[in-house]
């Protein structure tokens, strides 16, 4: 079973949300996703980081 950390799940949700935004261009979606996921990765653990603490 694949494990997901908080950051992994949040980035997936951000990606799914942005995919449904018709008024944004692909470039805008990518920029927003990159910025959001960078912020999320800085503040929440990924599955790989959780493995180190267990």
């Amino acid at each position: 079973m694949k494990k997901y950390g908080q950051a992994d799940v949040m980035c997936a949700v951000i990606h799914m949300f942005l995919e449904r935004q018709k008024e944004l261009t692909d470039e805008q979606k990518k920029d927003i996703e990159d910025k959001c996921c960078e912020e999320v990765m800085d503040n929440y653990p990924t599955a790989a980081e959780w493995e180190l603490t267990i």
Side-chain angles (χ1 to χ4, degrees):
M1 184 170 125
K2 183 154 174 63
K3 294 182 180 179
Y4 297 96
Q6 289 174 318
D8 304 309
V9 173
M10 284 194 251
C11 285
V13 170
I14 290 166
H15 177 78
M16 289 186 291
F17 173 77
L18 289 172
E19 283 297 309
R20 298 184 180 272
Q21 302 306 306
K22 304 289 187 214
E23 67 277 357
L24 297 174
T25 66
D26 288 341
E27 184 66 30
Q28 289 172 318
K29 291 176 188 177
K30 182 173 177 2
D31 288 343
I32 293 168
E33 186 172 355
D34 289 347
K35 289 175 187 173
C36 290
C37 285
E38 181 180 336
E39 182 76 23
V40 166
M41 294 294 212
D42 287 345
N43 293 304
Y44 296 93
T46 63
E49 292 168 340
W50 275 12
E51 289 293 320
L52 294 175
T53 60
I54 294 178

